[in-house]
Amino acid sequence: PNWEYHRLPALLGGGAGFEVRTEGDLEEALQQALANEKEFSLLNIHLDANDISPALDRLAKSPPTVLRKPPYPNYHQSK
């Protein structure tokens, strides 16, 4: 589904939202966001599903780490 995050500022009553699909869109959105110093800016950047960095690819392929219990002795998980 297409979550239209760039519309959140209008829903919240302030800020600026930008939908980014191309490098040109990104350049324009960044310029406007940086010029918008009085409100927050939200960039909804659409990426190809296979567009990942080499670091993220390595992380996805690494074996999972085992989660440890917290180091304090009286820890009890709530049920």
Side-chain angles (χ1 to χ4, degrees), residues 52-67:
I52 63 172
S53 69
L56 182 57
D57 188 45
R58 284 192 308 273
L59 179 64
K61 291 176 181 173
S62 66
T65 58
V66 176
L67 297 177

Side-chain angles (χ1 to χ4, degrees), residues 9-42:
L11 178 67
L12 298 172
F18 305 93
E19 185 169 23
V20 176
R21 293 187 179 275
T22 67
E23 286 184 41
D25 290 347
L26 179 60
E27 285 184 33
E28 184 178 331
L30 285 173
Q31 288 177 353
Q32 290 183 38
L34 291 170
N36 180 23
E37 296 180 359
K38 297 188 186 234
E39 299 179 308
F40 74 95
S41 295
L42 191 148

Side-chain angles (χ1 to χ4, degrees), residues 1 4 6 19-20 79:
E4 296 182 348
H6 57 284
E19 185 169 23
V20 176
K79 295 178 183 181

